[in-house]
Amino acid sequence: LASLAVQQASAHGYIESPKSRAYMCRTNVNNDCGGVTYEPQSVEYTTNGRSNYQDKACDGDFTKCGPADGNIASGGMSRFGEMDIQTATRWEKTDIKPGLNTFTWHYKAAHPIRYQEFYITKKDWNPNEALTRDSFELEPLLHVDMDNQMTGERTSHEVNIPADHTGYHVVLSTWKVGDTEATFYQVVDVNIDGDEVAPSP
């Protein structure tokens, strides 16, 4: 019981729709995922001795600091290192359409949210190479200021997937905590069907 209490105290959040790479491990869609199978909500980057992009304290966004290139999907956490394995066929993908798609974070513990951002891999990214900042368009698809509102159970955002991106891509969402330096990382493996564009509301 004490062990369970510690695990729950460190629980935070994951993207449940479309299912993130980590959440697909929890639901046994992805296999051989290591520790993230039990803690998809705990992919959290802090600067406590972890490999850091440009060796900066992480008070900026994904483009300026955070986990080192090659360790983005794991949030720089060595115990979640399986998340950083990247090939065209390693991870199950969710079919989506270009246009507006709803991305939903599911929270397992309350934190104030400073902001959330969503990024997508470039049109010519190589799915058989480790995820780096150069893999991604560094202009976010969406930046949402949350004004340090406390998390409820879920938040949802409409993310506009560009029509010129088709096939396998990775969407990265970062959630900046309002009262610490921590940032939560989730990657979502998607297959973008470019034959039809999702309607605008």
Side-chain angles (χ1 to χ4, degrees):
L1 288 174
S3 175
L4 179 61
V6 170
Q7 184 179 17
Q8 291 303 312
S10 65
H12 308 293
Y14 53 81
I15 291 182
E16 70 174 4
S17 179
K19 288 183 180 179
S20 69
R21 183 178 297 184
Y23 188 44
M24 281 197 178
C25 288
R26 182 69 182 91
T27 56
N28 297 315
V29 178
N30 288 325
N31 298 307
D32 302 318
C33 298
V36 80
T37 302
Y38 310 101
E39 297 184 79
Q41 67 275 7
S42 299
V43 184
E44 176 187 16
Y45 178 80
T46 68
T47 55
N48 296 330
R50 295 181 187 162
S51 177
N52 187 27
Y53 178 63
Q54 295 186 347
D55 295 321
K56 293 179 180 178
C58 197
D59 196 45
D61 64 24
F62 162 71
T63 67
K64 299 178 179 64
C65 67
D69 287 342
N71 301 129
I72 291 169
S74 67
M77 302 179 72
S78 58
R79 66 192 176 109
F80 297 152
E82 288 86 353
M83 291 291 91
D84 293 318
I85 299 169
Q86 180 61 53
T87 75
T89 58
R90 171 65 179 91
W91 306 106
E92 291 292 328
K93 302 160 187 69
T94 300
D95 291 333
I96 65 173
K97 301 290 187 183
L100 292 174
N101 289 264
T102 303
F103 282 71
T104 301
W105 276 87
H106 183 174
Y107 305 106
K108 305 297 287 185
H111 291 291
I113 308 175
R114 192 185 314 179
Y115 61 77
Q116 290 179 336
E117 291 187 325
F118 296 82
Y119 297 86
I120 193 169
T121 44
K122 295 177 178 178
K123 289 187 290 184
D124 60 351
W125 79 295
N126 186 340
N128 292 304
E129 292 182 353
L131 291 174
T132 67
R133 282 160 182 79
D134 193 53
S135 304
F136 290 90
E137 307 281 2
L138 294 184
E139 182 71 26
L141 296 174
L142 181 67
H143 173 99
V144 184
D145 286 315
M146 305 289 281
D147 297 322
N148 285 340
Q149 73 179 52
M150 293 299 293
T151 58
E153 187 174 353
R154 291 174 174 83
T155 56
S156 294
H157 301 295
E158 296 297 306
V159 180
N160 190 24
I161 301 298
D164 60 354
H165 286 54
T166 58
Y168 177 31
H169 281 277
V170 173
V171 175
L172 165 69
S173 182
T174 62
W175 157 30
K176 189 73 171 176
V177 178
D179 58 356
T180 74
E181 66 180 10
T183 306
F184 289 92
Y185 277 69
Q186 292 278 292
V187 296
V188 184
D189 299 283
V190 297
N191 181 60
I192 304 170
D193 180 357
D195 293 337
E196 181 180 338
V197 175
S200 174

